[in-house]
């Protein structure tokens, strides 16, 4: 009878990871090291049975996260610390769970996310700083910071972002809303912070690639506006490297009671803080 079945509990976790150590978030073929594969293996050992996870967003190879949200269901009765310290003891270097809580059985880490936040760190220098490899994107050309700020401001609002959409993107619509876009820091080390309702595949990296073209004079601010209006990837600059991209959090309705993550102090120190 159904009443004899163990009760299943839905848990939400928040985790951080160094994307340079993994081939993206999503599970792939056997032997391919991904964040999801590592996390599910550790969770399954703590639960004593198979655990499947769902994430707020699927990050690509080389892309980092400071606050990725996932959910999973289990009949195992464990404390939050078991899902944090116990799981972390089984995870490889480069990934760690920092928050765990029970949530409504109706909570969905992906579909209930009403906003997502990203930060991209970009260094401009004739020589790439060795300690920023894998932590920041890099270009050797000098950049016009003011022009890049003007171009970035054009992205705020609801637009068809097809010009910044990867060919393999599976989103049903290219129309997304960016609530805020802020470029801070200096021409030598800057941070691009984006907050929107959703993002297309490679959207942030394609935006960075276009902003770098604005910064080095290969694309004017008016040309950037025309590129956005073009709604075509054909004339857009190439996708920029993943190294400097961080998923810094997802927004959820208050009813679910999830914490609102801020930027960690070490990431604030790279190119300045965000509002």
């Amino acid at each position: 009878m159904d009443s004899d079945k163990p009760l299943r509990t839905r848990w939400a976790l928040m985790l951080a990871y160094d994307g340079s150590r993994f081939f993206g978030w999503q599970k792939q073929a056997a032997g391919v090291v991904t964040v999801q594969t590592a996390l599910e293996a550790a969770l399954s050992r703590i639960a004593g049975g198979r655990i499947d996870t769902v994430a707020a967003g699927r990050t690509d190879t080389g892309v980092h996260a400071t606050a990725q949200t996932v959910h999973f269901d289990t009949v195992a009765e464990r404390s939050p610390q078991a899902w944090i310290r116990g799981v972390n003891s089984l995870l490889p270097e480069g990934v760690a769970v920092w928050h765990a809580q029970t949530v409504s059985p109706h909570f969905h880490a992906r579909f209930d996310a009403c906003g997502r936040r990203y930060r991209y760190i970009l260094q401009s220098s004739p020589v790439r700083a060795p300690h920023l490899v894998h932590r920041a994107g890099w270009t050797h050309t000098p950049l016009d910071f003011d022009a890049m700020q003007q171009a970035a401001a054009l992205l705020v609002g609801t637009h068809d972002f097809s010009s910044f959409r990867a060919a393999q993107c599976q989103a049903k619509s290219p129309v997304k809303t960016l609530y805020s876009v802020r470029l801070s820091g200096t021409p030598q080390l800057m941070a691009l912070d984006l907050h929107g309702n959703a993002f297309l595949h490679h959207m942030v990296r394609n935006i960075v690639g276009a902003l770098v073209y604005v910064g080095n004079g290969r694309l004017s601010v008016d040309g950037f506006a025309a590129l956005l209006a073009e709604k075509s990837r054909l004339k857009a600059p190439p996708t920029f490297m993943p190294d400097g991209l961080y998923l810094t959090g997802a927004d959820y309705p208050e009813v679910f009671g999830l914490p609102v993550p801020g930027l960690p102090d070490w990431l604030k120190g790279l190119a300045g803080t965000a509002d």
Side-chain angles (χ1 to χ4, degrees):
M1 297 177 61
D2 291 343
S3 60
D4 295 330
K5 291 183 179 180
L7 294 177
R8 300 182 69 83
T9 301
R10 179 156 294 187
W11 285 84
L13 305 179
M14 290 188 180
L15 59 149
Y17 48 84
D18 174 358
S20 68
R21 297 172 181 260
F22 301 93
F23 290 94
W25 159 263
Q26 192 172 8
K27 285 185 290 189
Q28 300 183 40
V32 178
V33 181
T34 70
V35 181
Q36 187 178 25
T37 299
L39 178 63
E40 289 184 354
L43 288 170
S44 297
R45 287 184 61 183
I46 295 297
R50 177 176 170 174
I51 295 292
D52 296 310
T53 61
V54 176
R58 299 173 180 175
T59 53
D60 292 329
T61 300
V63 176
H64 315 292
T66 60
Q68 171 75 277
T69 303
V70 307
H71 82 254
F72 66 92
D73 297 327
T74 181
V75 296
E77 297 182 3
R78 302 288 185 270
S79 68
Q81 285 304 308
W83 298 124
I84 300 175
R85 298 181 63 180
V87 168
N88 285 343
S89 71
L90 300 173
L91 287 172
E93 289 187 357
V95 56
V97 176
W98 57 265
H99 178 77
Q101 70 177 77
T102 57
V103 288
S104 161
H106 305 295
F107 171 78
H108 196 285
R110 179 184 176 189
F111 296 135
D112 284 321
C114 50
R116 291 172 177 81
R117 302 169 188 268
Y118 287 91
R119 165 169 275 214
Y120 194 100
I121 302 295
L122 175 65
Q123 182 198 14
S124 169
S125 174
V127 177
R128 190 176 190 182
H131 60 284
L132 291 180
V133 173
H134 301 311
R135 297 181 66 194
W138 171 70
T139 178
H140 69 280
T141 58
L143 298 177
D144 183 335
F145 186 79
D146 291 338
M148 293 174 70
Q149 283 187 314
Q150 293 175 43
L154 299 174
L155 297 169
V156 176
T158 301
H159 304 282
D160 181 327
F161 284 99
S162 293
S163 295
F164 305 104
R165 180 180 190 177
Q168 63 271 39
C169 181
Q170 298 178 356
K172 294 181 179 179
S173 171
V175 177
K176 304 298 176 187
T177 300
L178 291 185
Y179 307 128
S180 65
V181 180
R182 181 189 181 211
L183 189 68
S184 59
T186 70
Q188 291 73 43
L189 187 63
M190 62 187 74
L192 178 69
D193 291 286
L194 304 100
H195 179 206
N197 66 338
F199 289 80
L200 302 168
H201 191 198
H202 286 174
M203 179 172 158
V204 177
R205 291 169 58 193
N206 289 333
I207 286 173
V208 172
L211 288 176
V212 168
Y213 267 44
V214 171
N216 62 27
R218 298 179 68 177
L219 185 67
S220 67
V221 175
D222 288 341
F224 184 91
L227 175 63
L228 176 62
E230 186 82 16
K231 304 174 187 177
S232 172
R233 188 78 194 121
L234 296 178
K235 298 181 181 179
T239 304
F240 213 68
M241 63 182 67
D243 302 47
L245 183 55
Y246 299 79
L247 171 61
T248 58
D251 304 332
Y252 294 97
E254 291 183 4
V255 66
F256 293 119
L258 291 173
V260 179
L263 288 175
D265 288 343
W266 64 268
L267 189 54
K268 288 181 182 178
L270 286 177
T273 61
D275 291 336

